[in-house]
Amino acid sequence: MDTAKIVDARGSYCPGPLMELIKGIRREAIGTTLEIWSSDRGSAKDIPEWAARAGHELVSSTEEDGIYKIQVRKAR
Amino acid sequence: MKRVVILGGGTGGTIVANQMVRQLRQDIDAGAVEITVVSNTEQHVYQPSFLYVAFDLTAPSDAKRPERQVLDRRIRLVQGEADRVDPREHAVVMSDGVQLPYDFLVIATGSRPAPEEIEGLAEGGHHFYTEEGALKLREALQSFTGGRVVLVVGVPHKCPVAPLEFTLMLHDWLAARGLGPSSQIVYTYPIGRPHSLEGVSDWVKPVFEARGIDSHIFFNPELVDPVAGTVTSLEGETLSYDLLVAVPPHVGQEVIARSGLGDSGNWVPTDRHSLLMQGTDDVYVLGDATNLPISKAGSTAHFQADVVAGNIVQRLRGGHGSLRYDGKVFCFIETSLRKATYITFDYQRPPQPVVSGSLLHLYKLAFNHMYWLSAAGIL
Ligand SMILES: Cc1cc2nc3c(=O)[nH]c(=O)nc-3n(C[C@H](O)[C@H](O)[C@H](O)COP(=O)(O)OP(=O)(O)OC[C@H]3O[C@@H](n4cnc5c(N)ncnc54)[C@H](O)[C@@H]3O)c2cc1C
């Protein structure tokens, strides 16, 4: 598998991790996987929710020491 | 002689330059240090004024001063377009071919609204992110006779509170002109709540409800049809409008792309604490130009300027430059034409909502004038 592009959004309250994902994913080629790092518990919910609405694929979602790592593949 | 070159004479670059001079006066007078600011505009513009220009509350000329006057006289000002940065040669190359060698470079080139990134937006929509855009919107508002106003928000954008401020000010403005009953304001936002900051979202939801403002979340504008008067989101929702106002998506500047220093959006990869450009130890980046996941705001540029100026001065004196940026952001928010509130946070500390008051509004208005003290490195 190709390695994911890291989007380090730890400590981001504004614009916040989801906005950082939207910013990054717009400019990537279809098929690219982005891995968002977030220190906000809300990301584990709102990133998958947006990915579903926007038609992107949730690859994985994990948490370690309060850091959430969520992988999303650009599907369209 | 040690040379410090500051690329960009906007908020961040001007504050860094003026702060450094205050600490290095004698070294500069003795010819041991030279500070150069490169600016492609003669005038220094206080950008938040564009919001007030759109509502005909101020004129563009009220918010401009010659950059030469804003900078301490000991600072050398080179007016012109920088073509590229050459980190290997440690020089900035100007578009006329002149080379400006540096020992330390500060990249403070800001960001640019890019409505063209959303199909049809430049033709079908308005914005208040440049003087030209604000003046066009002013005329559109003057001739507006009621109808549906839709606000859309591109990602990323500078001044994260602007979408809310514009919406709430528009509500007051329409009401004052007797257009409230015949108008509908539709606010949209890219994520699952009306603002990035949870506290601000919680505060604004009942405010929108009380003022009859319609809010659509998870709305990332993708396509504008100026003929049909519709805007469609990438999530698949279509809204019709009589007047479309956008907070356009932003990109980093062309000089970053020409230099091969940016990511796909022309943002410069920057260390979140030292503010050094990644992979270098003599190039600092601040303000809108960085790729950091923090608010693109004048206050951010100001807090970062404290770190960058302090570290360069310390290193010029043989130290290491150990100040670290903690992610601090501070923003005033206009909550109507008469009231304001503020928020502050950093990488570690989440923001706490603050109650809005008319005193804060006066303070924000006062800051519109105090800005010049801040740019001068005094405040
Ligand atoms: C409508 C509006 C409202 C706002 N409201 C607020 C607010 O209430 N609070 C707040 O904190 N912030 C606000 N901001 C945001 C704030 O103005 C910016 O975040 C801030 O100016 C960023 O500072 P900067 O130094 O990074 O970039 P800028 O101040 O934009 O300066 C960048 C400079 O670099 C120059 N430059 C770029 N490329 C070159 C080149 N190749 N050669 C030479 N020069 C170059 C540009 O011309 C410019 O002068 C607002 C902005 C707008 C538009």
Side-chain angles (χ1 to χ4, degrees):
Chain A
M1 197 188 92
D2 288 342
T3 48
K5 287 199 171 174
I6 308 295
V7 177
D8 183 356
R10 289 172 297 162
S12 178
Y13 296 105
C14 181
L18 174 52
M19 211 81 104
E20 286 296 300
L21 167 64
I22 296 172
K23 165 186 157 189
I25 208 165
R26 282 181 54 213
R27 297 183 168 276
E28 296 299 339
I30 291 173
T32 309
T33 300
L34 281 92
E35 178 172 303
I36 303 93
W37 293 359
S38 168
S39 46
D40 175 8
R41 188 156 26 112
S43 296
K45 186 173 151 286
D46 67 8
I47 289 180
E49 190 180 348
W50 178 76
R53 281 174 187 253
H56 299 308
E57 187 191 332
L58 180 73
V59 178
S60 63
S61 177
T62 56
E63 186 259 340
E64 209 181 305
D65 298 330
I67 301 301
Y68 298 81
K69 295 188 174 175
I70 303 155
Q71 290 199 351
V72 175
R73 185 178 298 127
K74 179 163 173 158
R76 54 182 282 257
Chain B
M1 184 172 68
K2 295 283 185 192
R3 294 189 174 92
V4 181
V5 173
I6 296 163
L7 180 50
T11 305
T14 302
I15 297 176
V16 168
N18 281 328
Q19 282 193 359
M20 286 183 57
V21 169
R22 285 160 66 81
Q23 299 172 66
L24 292 169
R25 225 164 255 161
Q26 284 157 0
D27 309 70
I28 295 170
D29 289 344
V33 174
E34 181 185 65
I35 298 175
T36 304
V37 169
V38 179
S39 177
N40 60 3
T41 57
E42 203 183 305
Q43 299 287 323
H44 188 113
V45 182
Y46 179 61
Q47 300 172 28
S49 71
F50 298 150
L51 180 61
Y52 304 87
V53 167
F55 288 107
D56 201 28
L57 293 169
T58 188
S61 55
D62 290 343
K64 277 188 213 170
R65 292 192 187 174
E67 175 68 0
R68 183 62 273 173
Q69 273 176 31
V70 184
L71 290 175
D72 186 284
R73 63 176 175 79
R74 291 177 180 82
I75 296 163
R76 173 175 166 230
L77 175 61
V78 173
Q79 226 134 42
E81 174 81 11
D83 180 57
R84 62 184 191 278
V85 174
D86 189 339
R88 250 177 258 134
E89 293 294 321
H90 305 273
V92 172
V93 184
M94 300 297 292
S95 59
D96 59 8
V98 169
Q99 299 230 359
L100 305 172
Y102 63 79
D103 294 285
F104 291 104
L105 173 68
V106 178
I107 297 180
T109 42
S111 60
R112 173 178 79 75
E116 70 278 5
E117 299 247 317
I118 294 170
E119 199 183 326
L121 179 59
E123 301 80 38
H126 285 271
H127 71 82
F128 51 91
Y129 268 73
T130 59
E131 179 181 325
E132 192 197 354
L135 286 172
K136 271 199 201 151
L137 176 56
R138 180 178 81 180
E139 298 319 306
L141 283 172
Q142 289 293 325
S143 54
F144 187 67
T145 52
R148 209 164 130 95
V149 189
V150 176
L151 178 95
V152 294
V153 179
V155 178
H157 55 266
K158 63 182 158 189
C159 193
V161 297
L164 281 181
E165 290 189 318
F166 177 81
T167 302
L168 296 172
M169 287 170 79
L170 177 68
H171 175 267
D172 276 19
W173 192 86
L174 291 172
R177 291 170 73 94
L179 294 172
S182 60
S183 300
Q184 168 75 49
I185 302 177
V186 182
Y187 173 91
T188 70
Y189 204 66
I191 64 170
R193 53 179 182 239
H195 194 264
S196 292
L197 295 165
E198 215 168 334
V200 174
S201 283
D202 292 345
W203 167 81
V204 85
K205 278 184 205 159
V207 173
F208 275 179
E209 230 176 270
R211 298 184 196 181
I213 296 167
D214 205 9
S215 164
H216 291 240
I217 53 171
F218 284 128
F219 192 101
N220 283 281
E222 193 173 42
L223 176 71
V224 176
D225 183 338
V227 180
T230 58
V231 52
T232 302
S233 71
L234 76 81
E235 292 83 359
E237 191 182 357
T238 298
L239 297 171
S240 62
Y241 65 82
D242 296 303
L243 179 65
L244 179 67
V245 182
V247 169
H250 281 61
V251 292
Q253 305 284 11
E254 280 302 311
V255 60
I256 305 301
R258 289 192 296 262
S259 310
L261 299 180
D263 61 17
S264 54
N266 298 347
W267 310 111
V268 184
T270 305
D271 183 274
R272 57 166 58 203
H273 293 296
S274 72
L275 300 178
L276 281 163
M277 181 168 89
Q278 278 173 20
T280 66
D281 74 347
D282 58 1
V283 181
Y284 288 88
V285 195
L286 82 163
D288 292 356
T290 76
N291 72 336
L292 296 175
I294 49 169
S295 311
K296 296 190 184 302
S299 70
T300 306
H302 191 158
F303 292 124
Q304 293 176 335
D306 293 343
V307 173
V308 170
N311 281 343
I312 295 177
V313 168
Q314 181 63 9
R315 290 179 66 183
L316 287 170
R317 290 175 173 159
H320 298 281
S322 307
L323 295 176
R324 284 160 70 83
Y325 175 61
D326 63 0
K328 189 171 167 78
V329 176
F330 176 100
C331 280
F332 281 115
I333 314 173
E334 293 280 21
T335 56
S336 74
L337 286 175
R338 289 172 308 280
K339 286 193 172 180
T341 183
Y342 75 91
I343 35 168
T344 181
F345 50 92
D346 60 36
Y347 291 141
Q348 304 292 337
R349 273 171 295 238
Q352 307 293 328
V354 181
V355 189
S356 75
S358 41
L359 207 65
L360 280 162
H361 170 69
L362 292 177
Y363 195 77
K364 171 147 186 169
L365 284 186
F367 186 78
N368 294 343
H369 298 283
M370 289 195 299
Y371 173 75
W372 301 105
L373 293 178
S374 167
I378 294 167
L379 206 71

